């Protein structure tokens, strides 16, 4: 499977996937509930980073999360720094453009949330085998059809990518140019797409017959091959964490957090 | 018609309730965002928490309800098509990116399934594509699942009213779908991510803001710049693929037989599916 999962011996890996999912949801709720610009940063440093280190996936999280977040945050910080309408405290100027502190704070506020969203979700994906996640979700009421679609897509993805690559190589060896101006490159897409798409639709027919012969559409209760362990302690922890996060959110909705002005 | 074509759906009412509830949640969220336009950050650089959690929760819960309701309505023949269509979305999207084209082309599978198997199938393909995208590439795709659901459902409805029977209507339907997709996705980029959704698109949003547009206006303009063209091309490609598909394959789908959706087919309203 071409997912983000890393197999490491760690207490976080051993947790029930539902517990981790609830943990991620609680972190996201908390980051949206707390109104302070520094709150996402604090959660990142105090919760996400220690959890990543405990799970021994810190390096990969930095790599994969950074690849998504760095370009995104840079663009927002540069754009807001120069063009935010509230810019007053000028840090430096390039030509007639002033780079203001207020824009960077705006970027930190909105970018910090996105950063927590991405890293927390990634922590779940890095430490949880997708199969185990789907088993746990189906045992907790996810429709089996949905579990089928997600898991079979994940399993077919590497083979499908190989197929796409070999079609590209085959067409190139017949003289297809995949470089040049945009219209030319677009024209290249069609000879790549038709063999790829027509090819995969052919075996769909037999698959549905085979699955139907094995009672796929049966609506009765299902049994699980792999029972995901769910200790009582984790169940309790899930409720506590969720209640705390929802509590933080309720306080936020009621507007009870003390107002703080910059720098706090 | 064989047995596996029959939508084995003993919980039809329950599934419809899921779909209706999900739609209501999504529309309510959308109206709240458009009418209230909550500030993302206030004058003291405090974040507006409630303004961002409502779109996040509303869109994710709504998308989930619609997807659960719709997937249970699909017969097995349609369901096995969904993973293949998602793979087409992802791989073609990546090939497009690697060719350096200024397009996404990441919804060909979604629209193809919507056309041959109906709005519910298209919606499921779109929604789960974003789930797979979120699981394998970037979690940022998850809040946008509702946009993909809308695109898939629109493709199905377009096919039902006969858009794909002609050769000139699919590009127009593509432009309309693109405009709706842009309007649906812009509040998500604006209020959940503050315009920070990606390097390239993010830069365009920043540029629009630099000209004095509001955040929501900037993300909407960015969407309108890229989505209609992207969907125009996607719908055209899907039409070309439909022309190339073997007719044995096309005739397998009850939706195709019932509504005669494909190029060259005549409108025959009186023919029942059986």
């Amino acid at each position: 499977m071409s997912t983000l999962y890393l197999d490491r011996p760690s207490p976080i890996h051993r947790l029930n996937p539902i517990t981790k999912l609830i943990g991620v949801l609680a972190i996201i709720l908390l980051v949206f509930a707390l109104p302070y610009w520094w709150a996402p940063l604090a959660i990142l440093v105090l919760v996400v980073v220690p959890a990543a280190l405990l799970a021994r996936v810190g390096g990969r999280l930095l790599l994969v999360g950074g690849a998504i977040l760095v370009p995104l945050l840079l663009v927002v910080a540069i754009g807001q720094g120069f063009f935010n309408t509230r810019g007053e405290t000028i840090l430096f100027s390039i030509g007639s453009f002033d780079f203001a502190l207020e824009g960077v704070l705006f970027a930190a506020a909105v970018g910090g949330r996105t950063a927590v969203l991405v890293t927390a979700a990634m922590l779940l994906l890095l430490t949880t085998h997708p199969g185990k996640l789907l088993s746990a979700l189906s045992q907790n009421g996810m429709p089996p059809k949905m579990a089928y679609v997600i898991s079979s897509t994940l399993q077919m993805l590497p083979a499908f990518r190989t197929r796409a690559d070999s079609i590209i190589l085959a067409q190139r060896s017949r003289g297809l140019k995949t470089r040049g101006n945009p219209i030319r490159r677009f024209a290249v897409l069609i000879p790549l797409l038709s063999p790829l798409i027509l090819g995969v639709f052919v075996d769909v027919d037999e698959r549905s017959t085979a699955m139907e012969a094995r009672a796929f559409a049966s609506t009765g209760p299902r049994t699980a091959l792999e029972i995901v362990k769910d200790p009582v302690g984790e169940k309790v922890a899930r409720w506590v964490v969720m209640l705390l996060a929802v509590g933080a959110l309720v306080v936020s909705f009621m507007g009870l957090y003390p107002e703080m002005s910059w720098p706090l | 018609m064989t047995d596996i074509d029959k939508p084995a759906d003993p919980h039809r009412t329950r599934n419809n309730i899921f779909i209706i509830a999900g739609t209501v949640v999504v529309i309510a969220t959308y109206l709240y965002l458009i009418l209230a336009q909550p500030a993302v950050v206030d004058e003291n650089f405090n974040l507006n928490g409630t303004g961002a959690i409502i779109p996040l929760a509303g869109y994710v819960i709504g998308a989930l309800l619609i997807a659960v309701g719709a997937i249970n309505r699909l017969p097995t023949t349609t369901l096995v098509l969904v993973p293949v269509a998602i793979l087409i979305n992802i791989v073609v999207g990546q090939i497009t990116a690697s060719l350096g084209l200024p397009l996404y082309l990441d919804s060909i599978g979604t629209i193809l399934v919507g056309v041959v198997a109906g709005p519910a199938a298209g919606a499921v393909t779109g929604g789960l594509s974003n789930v797979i995208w979120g699981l394998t590439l970037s979690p940022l795709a998850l809040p946008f699942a509702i946009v993909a659901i809308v695109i898939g459902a629109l493709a199905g409805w377009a096919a039902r009213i006969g858009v794909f029977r002609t050769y000139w209507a699919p590009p127009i339907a593509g432009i309309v779908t693109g405009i709706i997709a842009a309007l649906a996705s812009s509040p998500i980029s604006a209020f959940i991510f503050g315009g920070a959704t990606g390097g390239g698109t993010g830069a365009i949003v920043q540029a629009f803001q630099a000209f004095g547009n509001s955040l929501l206006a900037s993300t909407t303009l960015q969407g309108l710049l890229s989505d209609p063209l992207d969907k125009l091309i996607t719908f055209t490609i899907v039409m070309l693929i439909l022309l190339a598909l073997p007719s044995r394959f096309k005739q397998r789908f009850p939706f195709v037989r019932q509504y005669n959706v494909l190029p060259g087919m005549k409108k025959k309203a009186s023919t029942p599916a059986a």
Side-chain angles (χ1 to χ4, degrees):
Chain A
M1 289 202 199
S2 58
T3 50
L4 298 164
Y5 176 66
L6 283 181
D7 193 12
R8 299 274 157 83
S10 93
I12 305 237
H13 281 73
R14 282 192 295 273
L15 284 176
N16 185 297
I18 303 290
T19 311
K20 285 185 266 190
L21 186 65
I22 296 283
V24 170
L25 285 179
I27 289 175
I28 291 171
L29 284 185
L30 199 63
V31 99
F32 279 98
L34 294 173
Y36 313 115
W37 68 269
W38 44 263
L41 202 67
I43 291 173
L44 201 62
V45 174
L46 295 177
V47 182
V48 178
V49 171
L53 294 178
L54 184 63
R56 300 167 65 189
V57 295
R60 183 64 71 88
L61 182 68
L62 196 68
L63 213 69
V64 192
I68 295 173
L69 289 170
V70 169
L72 187 153
L73 295 178
L74 267 182
V75 165
V76 181
I78 294 172
Q80 295 294 337
F82 281 116
F83 302 120
N84 193 296
T85 46
R86 277 188 251 148
E88 282 165 14
T89 325
I90 289 153
L91 298 176
F92 62 88
S93 302
I94 299 176
S96 58
F97 295 108
D98 298 327
F99 191 84
L101 177 68
E102 281 78 6
V104 181
L105 283 179
F106 179 92
V110 298
R113 263 187 192 163
T114 308
V116 172
L117 209 81
V118 168
T119 48
M122 226 152 224
L123 198 55
L124 169 74
L125 300 177
L126 284 169
T127 61
T128 314
H129 191 275
K132 201 175 164 193
L133 178 64
L134 288 169
S135 304
L137 283 172
S138 338
Q139 282 161 39
N140 284 277
M142 182 198 219
K145 284 180 174 178
M146 203 175 262
Y148 158 73
V149 170
I150 296 174
S151 62
S152 68
T153 308
L154 290 176
Q155 273 163 10
M156 286 193 282
L157 191 53
F160 197 75
R161 277 210 182 109
T162 316
R163 194 170 189 163
D165 287 341
S166 60
I167 289 172
I168 292 176
L169 289 176
Q171 301 286 44
R172 262 194 199 146
S173 73
R174 296 185 189 111
L176 187 83
K177 281 186 192 144
T178 50
R179 284 170 229 291
N181 67 49
I183 295 168
R184 206 194 143 80
R185 275 177 284 156
F186 179 71
V188 164
L189 262 185
I190 303 299
L192 294 183
L193 290 187
S194 40
L196 186 69
I197 293 176
L198 299 183
V200 288
F201 276 136
V202 174
D203 52 335
V204 163
D205 219 354
E206 291 101 66
R207 196 176 305 146
S208 72
T209 315
M211 284 165 56
E212 209 49 44
R214 287 158 185 80
F216 179 74
S218 149
T219 50
R222 316 235 164 178
T223 51
L225 183 61
E226 181 197 14
I227 304 282
V228 182
K229 269 182 271 174
D230 195 7
V232 185
E234 286 194 31
K235 278 183 188 152
V236 176
R238 287 207 287 266
W239 280 103
V240 173
V241 164
M242 215 52 214
L243 282 176
L244 285 176
V246 171
L249 199 64
V250 169
V251 175
S252 173
F253 268 98
M254 293 162 73
L256 291 179
Y257 284 107
E259 278 282 321
M260 286 192 204
S261 58
W262 190 79
L264 277 175
Chain B
M1 192 199 274
T2 53
D3 220 2
I4 52 175
D5 277 345
K6 225 187 290 165
D9 189 0
H11 304 291
R12 200 177 167 77
T13 324
R14 187 198 67 183
N15 293 334
N16 284 337
I17 290 172
F18 271 126
I19 293 175
I20 292 165
T23 312
V24 169
V25 169
V26 169
I27 291 174
T29 310
Y30 187 74
L31 289 179
Y32 164 77
L33 291 176
I34 296 304
L35 298 176
Q37 299 217 0
V40 179
V41 176
D42 75 4
E43 59 278 8
N44 290 328
F45 296 100
N46 287 327
L47 291 157
N48 181 348
T50 49
I53 197 74
I54 288 173
L56 189 62
Y59 281 136
V60 171
I61 292 170
L64 207 62
L65 287 171
I66 295 174
V68 168
I71 202 169
N72 282 324
R73 280 172 44 163
L74 301 183
T76 309
T77 38
T78 306
L79 199 74
V80 290
L81 207 59
V82 176
V84 173
I86 296 175
L87 292 172
I88 291 171
N89 285 343
I90 290 178
V91 171
V92 175
Q94 285 178 336
I95 291 177
T96 310
S98 74
L99 286 175
L101 291 170
L103 299 164
Y104 309 121
L105 299 189
D106 55 359
S107 53
I108 290 179
T110 304
I111 288 159
L112 197 56
V113 169
V115 173
V116 299
V124 167
T125 309
L128 292 182
S129 283
N130 278 46
V131 171
I132 300 287
W133 206 271
L135 284 174
T136 54
L137 296 164
S138 165
L140 291 180
L142 277 176
F144 289 96
I146 187 63
V147 181
I149 287 177
V150 169
I151 291 171
L154 282 175
W157 285 317
R160 188 184 287 184
I161 62 169
V163 163
F164 283 88
R165 263 180 241 134
T166 66
Y167 299 102
W168 52 269
I172 298 171
I175 294 175
V176 174
T177 306
I179 292 171
I180 297 173
L183 295 179
S185 64
S186 58
I188 305 175
S189 344
F191 296 115
I192 300 180
F193 298 114
T197 47
T201 53
I204 298 172
V205 172
Q206 301 300 322
F208 279 123
Q209 274 190 283
F211 287 113
N213 293 296
S214 73
L215 189 55
L216 181 61
S218 304
T219 54
T220 308
L221 287 170
Q222 184 273 318
L224 288 176
L225 203 63
S226 51
D227 285 351
L229 177 68
D230 182 65
K231 296 300 173 288
L232 182 157
I233 292 172
T234 307
F235 271 63
T236 311
I237 290 176
V238 168
M239 185 184 71
L240 296 175
I241 293 169
L242 289 171
L243 286 170
L245 279 176
S247 60
R248 184 182 72 91
F249 176 82
K250 288 186 276 198
Q251 287 297 332
R252 282 180 38 229
F253 293 96
F255 183 77
V256 171
R257 292 196 302 266
Q258 190 175 353
Y259 296 100
N260 293 307
V261 297
L262 296 182
M265 287 185 170
K266 295 246 161 46
K267 189 181 177 184
K268 290 185 296 181
S270 56
T271 316

